[in-house]
Amino acid sequence: MTNPVELPSPWRDARLTVVVPTYNEVDNVALLVERLLALPMPGLHVLIADDNSPDGTGEVADKLGVENPGRVTVVHRAGKEGLGRAYVDGIGRALDAGAEFVAQMDADLSHPPEALPGLLGTLLSTRAGVVIGSRYVPGGQLDENWPLYRRALSGWANFYVHTLLNVRIRDLTAGFKVWRADVLRDIGLDRVQSNGYSFQVEMHYLATQFGHTIIEVPIRFEERTSGASKMTAKTKIESAVMPFRLRWKHRAKGE
């Protein structure tokens, strides 16, 4: 674990909401929130969108909300509708609550919370609309324990989407990033079709279609130590089909 970057004032006080979708992450969510709230960012707020986890994640999240009033909000969703729907719900609520910046990250501790100040600092010091914590730019790393089949699947997915959509991002499937609120409003969450992991690709594609700059900064991606991956056959099929749908529906800005 590396020490977080110390941002200068007023950057460190920016209203940043970190949206964290959860489903069966009872062993991870408390530690993630602890590490997020320990960052030198007093304006950071955590929004947990739980899809009615049967393992008690929602109850743990509620306790975190009570223990950290004003800094942790919990949204209880009706059921497991997919990562994309959880993000659309959480991001929409963050924007309605007045967030200046919105971060996305997984609940399984694969994304290092300590990298968040650096991502926000890069966003604020450039014209970027979104900054991605990337596994595949120089300096980016993958945990040595990440299974070979996951490496192969991730590499193939990025190659496949690059070929179809011609988007100049190395880590197109990345789930760790910080957005400017006005960029998210410009894209329009009502345009987003994805339910599963293809949400990440769709958001990156829409950002480029609307002329927003995307910057990638290296991170170390860790393998989860608790819980199980939520990647299913259904989400894999959606991820394979979505690039074709994107080419057709969003082939021109504003469609």
Side-chain angles (χ1 to χ4, degrees), residues 194-210:
S194 303
N195 294 323
Y197 288 87
S198 58
F199 172 82
Q200 312 294 6
V201 171
E202 183 171 12
M203 290 295 287
H204 295 151
Y205 183 69
L206 287 172
T208 59
Q209 287 293 97
F210 280 76

Side-chain angles (χ1 to χ4, degrees), residues 62-222:
D62 282 338
K63 182 180 178 183
L64 293 168
V66 171
E67 293 172 348
N68 301 279
R71 299 206 69 189
V72 177
T73 298
V74 183
V75 176
H76 293 281
R77 293 165 44 75
K80 194 170 185 287
E81 299 175 1
L83 183 75
R85 292 303 95 195
Y87 265 130
V88 167
D89 188 356
I91 291 172
R93 291 171 185 265
L95 295 177
D96 290 344
E100 297 176 289
F101 307 95
V102 177
Q104 297 175 229
M105 68 186 306
D106 292 346
D108 61 6
L109 302 175
S110 58
H111 301 144
E114 293 74 22
L116 261 180
L119 267 62
L120 180 60
T122 300
L123 190 76
L124 288 166
S125 62
T126 65
R127 295 180 178 272
V130 57
V131 173
I132 295 172
S134 177
R135 299 163 288 186
Y136 301 130
V137 293
Q141 297 178 325
L142 289 171
D143 190 320
E144 297 79 5
N145 294 319
W146 210 39
L148 182 60
Y149 80 92
R150 292 289 303 276
R151 292 171 182 260
L153 180 62
S154 178
W156 167 251
N158 274 281
F159 172 78
Y160 173 73
V161 176
H162 274 294
T163 302
L164 286 177
L165 299 182
N166 193 31
V167 178
R168 295 182 179 180
I169 304 171
R170 294 200 182 191
D171 199 347
L172 268 165
T173 59
F176 186 31
K177 66 202 81 171
V178 179
W179 296 85
R180 293 183 188 270
D182 58 351
V183 170
L184 290 167
R185 293 190 180 96
D186 186 37
I187 291 173
L189 295 174
D190 58 331
R191 287 189 174 88
V192 179
Q193 306 171 54
S194 303
N195 294 323
Y197 288 87
S198 58
F199 172 82
Q200 312 294 6
V201 171
E202 183 171 12
M203 290 295 287
H204 295 151
Y205 183 69
L206 287 172
T208 59
Q209 287 293 97
F210 280 76
H212 299 293
T213 299
I214 299 176
I215 292 177
E216 296 179 83
V217 299
I219 63 161
R220 176 178 169 82
F221 181 88
E222 301 288 347

